[in-house]
Amino acid sequence: MPIAHELTPEATNPEPGRVILLNGTSSSGKSSIAAELLTTLDGPWYHLAVDHCHRIRSRHPWTENEFLPIFQRTLLGFHRMVAGMAAAGNDVVVDHILSEDWRLTDCLEVFAGLDLYYIGIHCSLPELERREADRGDRTTGLAALQYPLVHRHGVYDLEVDSEKHDPTTCATKIRTRLTQSPPTAFPTLRKSFG
C-alpha cells in the first residue's frame, strides 16, 4: 500500500459515489449478494451492513427500554456513515432491513443527492425460516416478524428473488440494472413520504 504524504486531487474533489441499497428481511441473502457484487463490479466498492454496526457496539445488560434508543441511534449513525462514504467518492453496497417507516424516511433524507439504486431482496417465508434455523445465529422468528413489513412500500429500482436465483444470478441482474436508466425509486418514495 502506498504511503501518501499529500491528498491527491482525485481524493479531495470527488464526485459522489454510487449506492446500491439491498433491502430484505434477515436471512434473505443480502450479504451473499453483496459479497458477489464486490467480486464482479468494476472499481472499488465497499460493503456496509447494518449488522456490522450492531456487532461492534459494546455489550451491557440493558433493559428493553434502555436499549431501544441505543438501537435507533445505531441505525441513524449507520445511515450517515453510508452517506459519508458515498459523499467522499466511494461506491457502496449497503445491506439493510427497512422494516419501519422511520428507517426509510431517514434514508430518504440522508441519501438525498446520491445516485442510489434501491433493490428489493425477496424470499418466501418458509425458506426464510429454514435458513434462519440452519444459520443458528439469528433470533428464531425474526424473519417472520420482518416479513410483512420490509417490502410494504413496494417501490424499487429492481427486485430479485434469492430463493429462485443464486447470489451470482441476483448480482448479475443488479449489475445489469446499473447500466440501464438512472434510479427512480427513492425520488418516487420521497414524493410519497413528503
Side-chain angles (χ1 to χ4, degrees):
M1 177 178 292
I3 298 175
H5 298 285
E6 294 182 10
L7 284 171
T8 63
E10 295 83 3
T12 55
N13 298 297
E15 289 291 321
R18 294 165 289 174
V19 176
I20 299 172
L21 176 53
L22 308 178
N23 179 46
T25 65
S26 174
S27 302
S28 62
K30 301 182 301 295
S31 294
S32 297
I33 294 169
E36 188 64 31
L37 283 167
L38 261 60
T39 66
T40 59
L41 290 167
D42 293 332
W45 284 77
Y46 296 84
H47 175 205
L48 298 179
V50 70
D51 284 350
H52 298 165
C53 284
H54 293 307
R55 281 197 289 269
I56 62 175
R57 186 179 52 239
S58 61
R59 299 285 184 253
H60 295 282
W62 290 297
T63 66
E64 186 173 340
N65 285 341
E66 289 171 333
F67 182 65
L68 179 59
I70 296 167
F71 175 85
Q72 292 174 337
R73 287 197 305 267
T74 302
L75 268 60
L76 294 171
F78 173 66
H79 299 163
R80 284 147 184 82
M81 179 175 68
V82 170
M85 284 290 287
N90 301 295
D91 292 326
V92 184
V93 178
V94 181
D95 78 62
H96 206 348
I97 302 169
L98 297 179
S99 56
E100 298 174 285
D101 284 348
W102 68 265
R103 302 183 193 199
L104 177 57
T105 55
D106 192 59
C107 286
L108 292 172
E109 179 181 343
V110 172
F111 300 154
L114 296 177
D115 194 17
L116 185 146
Y117 291 83
Y118 191 35
I119 312 297
I121 311 298
H122 293 276
C123 185
S124 73
L125 183 55
E127 175 61 13
L128 289 170
E129 292 173 329
R130 184 196 68 76
R131 293 179 185 180
E132 189 174 72
D134 285 351
R135 288 176 66 163
D137 64 349
R138 290 292 184 271
T139 303
T140 302
L142 185 60
L145 182 66
Q146 297 166 348
Y147 187 77
L149 305 173
V150 74
H151 299 298
R152 68 183 184 275
H153 56 276
V155 178
Y156 288 105
D157 291 300
L158 177 70
E159 298 176 75
V160 297
D161 190 321
S162 69
E163 183 177 0
K164 295 178 181 176
H165 304 290
D166 63 18
T168 302
T169 302
C170 292
T172 298
K173 291 174 180 288
I174 294 166
R175 193 172 65 247
T176 299
R177 177 64 185 84
L178 297 185
T179 67
Q180 297 170 341
S181 56
T184 60
F186 260 39
T188 300
L189 286 166
R190 283 189 187 96
K191 293 175 183 175
S192 299
F193 280 80

